[in-house]
Amino acid sequence: MHASNALDPQSPQARAIYDLGIVATIVFVLIFVVVAGGIVYAIFRFRGREGEPEPKQFAGNEKVEIIWTVIPFLIVVFLFALTLRGMNRADPPPAPSPDLVVTGHQFWWQADYPASGVVTANEIHIPAGKPLSVRLDSKDVLHEFWVPELARKMTTVPGQPNNIWIQADKPGVYLGTCSEFCGTQHAWMRIVVVAEEPSKFEAWQQAQLQPAQTATSDPAAKGLALFQTSTCMNCHAIRGVPGANAIVAPDLTHVASRKQIGAGILENTPANMRKWLKNPQHVKPGVLMPDFNFTGQQLDELTAYLDTLR
Ligand code: CUA
């Protein structure tokens, strides 16, 4: 995983935006050079010198005025046409039904794949080379979904879904982020896009569709019991665990298969999971998960259980 780079487009959609940006920048630089160059030239070439007579005064020059109206007009028309082409490539109309629905929450992302029924959080898998129509929604406040290498950025508005297209030319891991301030943990609302060969993506989908395996031996079995008897189920779903189907917080059915915890704040290792469970507020102040004051043994059991959710 590397830092995201808006100047390194990895999809036709992102490239359309990048190309437009490059052309526009070249045009702007040329205009700047011509205008600033003309000013600098005039300053030195026509500066007043002692003893020289007053220069000839004149007003109006039809030819010059036509030139400096027509040229900017043509530049604007040129950029307008390029922008239309770029919009058409980067932001075509959405598909009738989305391939992926991403919902912003304070402070994490829910990802639903309507066709297959997969539900996950913060880590989106996509098949490389295929454009996906993504519907963006929000459960609470304005967020903004942005994976700079793969797609344009787009605000998520509660009750007013927006749509973008996302695509990756080749397999790889691409980082995204929430790019609209949404509260204390706005900075830790990362998104990981894993682009895979279509067959690997299919295998991932199949694995995600499996219900969680039931923990039968200790300490994981004790951890499962803890999950069921504490208030975890009020917010988290684990498919296969009776009653655990709330969708307030990330679905944990395959939490151990994900790369990160807390929408990017920790690498997903058992040690970090224990740290997170010990006091989420310490790891990510303002996160909606409370501190449960688990004992050391309870932390070990819960960590062992969550680690079985692969
Ligand atoms: Cu969500 Cu910023």
Side-chain angles (χ1 to χ4, degrees):
M1 230 183 300
H2 57 97
S4 49
N5 182 354
L7 301 179
D8 184 21
Q10 298 291 327
S11 76
Q13 294 80 3
R15 206 168 297 112
I17 297 168
Y18 174 80
D19 290 348
L20 177 63
I22 292 293
V23 174
T25 304
I26 291 171
V27 170
F28 301 153
V29 167
L30 285 177
I31 292 172
F32 177 79
V33 167
V34 169
V35 173
I39 291 172
V40 170
Y41 175 78
I43 286 173
F44 288 100
R45 174 68 181 76
F46 301 110
R47 78 189 327 162
R49 290 184 179 82
E50 229 167 306
E52 279 191 358
E54 183 79 358
K56 201 177 98 193
Q57 302 295 314
F58 64 93
N61 185 324
E62 204 167 294
K63 202 190 275 176
V64 170
E65 281 160 15
I66 288 173
I67 289 173
W68 75 35
T69 305
V70 168
I71 291 180
F73 177 75
L74 292 178
I75 292 173
V76 170
V77 168
F78 170 69
L79 288 178
F80 179 68
L82 276 189
T83 304
L84 283 186
R85 192 179 68 155
M87 287 166 73
N88 198 36
R89 289 179 181 175
D91 199 24
S97 54
D99 301 300
L100 180 61
V101 178
V102 175
T103 309
H105 296 253
Q106 285 176 313
F107 300 95
W108 61 284
W109 300 97
Q110 177 186 338
D112 294 83
Y113 297 71
S116 64
V118 168
V119 181
T120 185
N122 305 319
E123 185 174 314
I124 294 173
H125 287 237
I126 62 172
K130 183 177 179 283
L132 298 190
S133 185
V134 183
R135 178 182 295 165
L136 294 166
D137 208 336
S138 170
K139 267 282 179 297
D140 35 47
V141 298
L142 298 180
H143 302 275
E144 192 160 70
F145 179 87
W146 193 32
V147 185
E149 280 144 324
L150 304 185
R152 64 172 298 187
K153 59 162 76 173
M154 180 55 87
T155 305
T156 73
V157 184
Q160 178 56 60
N162 281 323
N163 292 277
I164 60 167
W165 288 87
I166 197 168
Q167 182 172 351
D169 294 333
K170 50 185 192 301
V173 178
Y174 306 91
L175 284 186
T177 180
C178 180
S179 56
E180 178 145 330
F181 183 72
C182 55
T184 46
Q185 287 299 338
H186 157 69
W188 285 112
M189 223 179 129
R190 301 288 170 87
I191 199 147
V192 178
V193 178
V194 181
E196 299 169 308
E197 296 293 349
S199 59
K200 264 188 93 179
F201 169 72
E202 208 30 64
W204 174 83
Q205 277 209 130
Q206 290 310 319
Q208 294 289 313
L209 284 172
Q210 301 303 312
Q213 47 178 313
T214 306
T216 46
S217 61
D218 285 345
K222 286 211 174 100
L224 168 58
L226 249 176
F227 178 85
Q228 290 174 290
T229 52
S230 311
T231 50
C232 312
M233 293 203 298
N234 290 354
C235 297
H236 290 285
I238 298 182
R239 266 176 304 112
V241 174
N245 38 34
I247 49 159
V248 177
D251 185 302
L252 300 178
T253 311
H254 297 287
V255 64
S257 74
R258 302 202 279 262
K259 297 178 194 308
Q260 299 178 328
I261 302 169
I265 203 159
L266 292 173
E267 288 300 304
N268 192 2
T269 63
N272 279 340
M273 184 59 89
R274 193 180 189 283
K275 191 171 152 189
W276 172 262
L277 294 168
K278 185 160 188 267
N279 189 349
Q281 294 299 324
H282 184 74
V283 178
K284 189 172 172 179
V287 69
L288 297 189
M289 177 158 161
D291 174 11
F292 285 90
N293 292 306
F294 290 122
T295 66
Q297 193 189 334
Q298 287 176 321
L299 288 172
D300 291 340
E301 291 163 356
L302 262 180
T303 305
Y305 172 57
L306 293 177
D307 195 42
T308 67
L309 301 176
R310 306 211 147 260

